[in-house]
């Protein structure tokens, strides 16, 4: 009885095209709207991008309707193109929602 739900929906995924379409529908269904960034958050992001360039940071990102968290270092900051380069990828600065320093006492010690 526990697997009845999966058996119930199996006929809808019988064709390859249907499975692709169902996956796309689920992907679109769970998208969220872009969170608003307050003035204080924007100033905090700007300050951290200026002064903590080589530090290990925790980022909250908004990419294509989904929120992600990423922990890593910024390799390069292109101010003209407004792009941030990480170890694995790059993205526009506007997609950064929040930045946190996981070790706030690293500057003191």
């Amino acid at each position: 009885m526990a697997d009845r739900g999966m058996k119930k929906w199996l006929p809808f995924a019988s064709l390859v095209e249907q499975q692709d379409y169902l996956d796309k529908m689920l992907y679109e269904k769970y998208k969220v709207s872009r969170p608003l960034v307050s003035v204080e958050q924007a100033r905090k992001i700007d300050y951290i991008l200026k002064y903590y360039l080589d530090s290990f940071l925790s980022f909250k990102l908004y990419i294509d309707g989904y929120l992600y968290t990423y922990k890593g270092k910024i390799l390069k900051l292109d101010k003209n193109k407004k792009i941030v380069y990480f170890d694995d990828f790059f993205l526009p600065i506007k997609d950064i929602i929040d930045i946190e320093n996981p070790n706030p006492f690293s500057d003191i010690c």
Side-chain angles (χ1 to χ4, degrees):
M1 232 20 208
D3 292 334
R4 183 183 182 285
M6 288 304 295
K7 290 178 186 177
K8 180 180 172 183
W9 295 107
L10 279 177
F12 292 108
S14 61
L15 297 174
V16 176
E17 295 85 17
Q18 286 177 331
Q19 183 62 41
D20 292 340
Y21 184 72
L22 289 173
D23 290 341
K24 184 177 178 183
M25 280 180 40
L26 286 175
Y27 181 78
E28 294 293 326
K29 179 181 178 183
Y30 293 113
K31 282 188 174 183
V32 295
S33 60
R34 180 182 293 274
L36 297 175
V37 178
S38 67
V39 175
E40 291 84 17
Q41 280 180 321
R43 288 182 183 158
K44 176 183 159 187
I45 291 169
D46 185 47
Y47 179 80
I48 290 175
L49 288 177
K50 283 182 184 176
Y51 297 109
Y52 289 88
L53 195 57
D54 292 328
S55 301
F56 189 77
L57 302 169
S58 176
F59 300 89
K60 189 173 184 181
L61 308 171
Y62 178 82
I63 302 171
D64 193 32
Y66 287 92
L67 293 173
Y68 298 99
T69 55
Y70 175 75
K71 293 182 181 180
K73 289 184 180 182
I74 299 174
L75 292 181
K76 182 181 169 186
L77 179 64
D78 191 351
K79 295 179 184 177
N80 293 333
K81 295 180 182 177
K82 298 180 182 175
I83 295 177
V84 179
Y85 294 92
F86 295 102
D87 294 330
D88 305 334
F89 62 98
F90 64 92
L91 75 151
I93 293 175
K94 67 180 178 96
D95 290 342
I96 299 175
I97 304 301
D98 195 18
I99 302 176
E100 293 180 6
N101 189 357
N103 190 5
F105 299 111
S106 62
D107 293 339
I108 299 171
C109 300

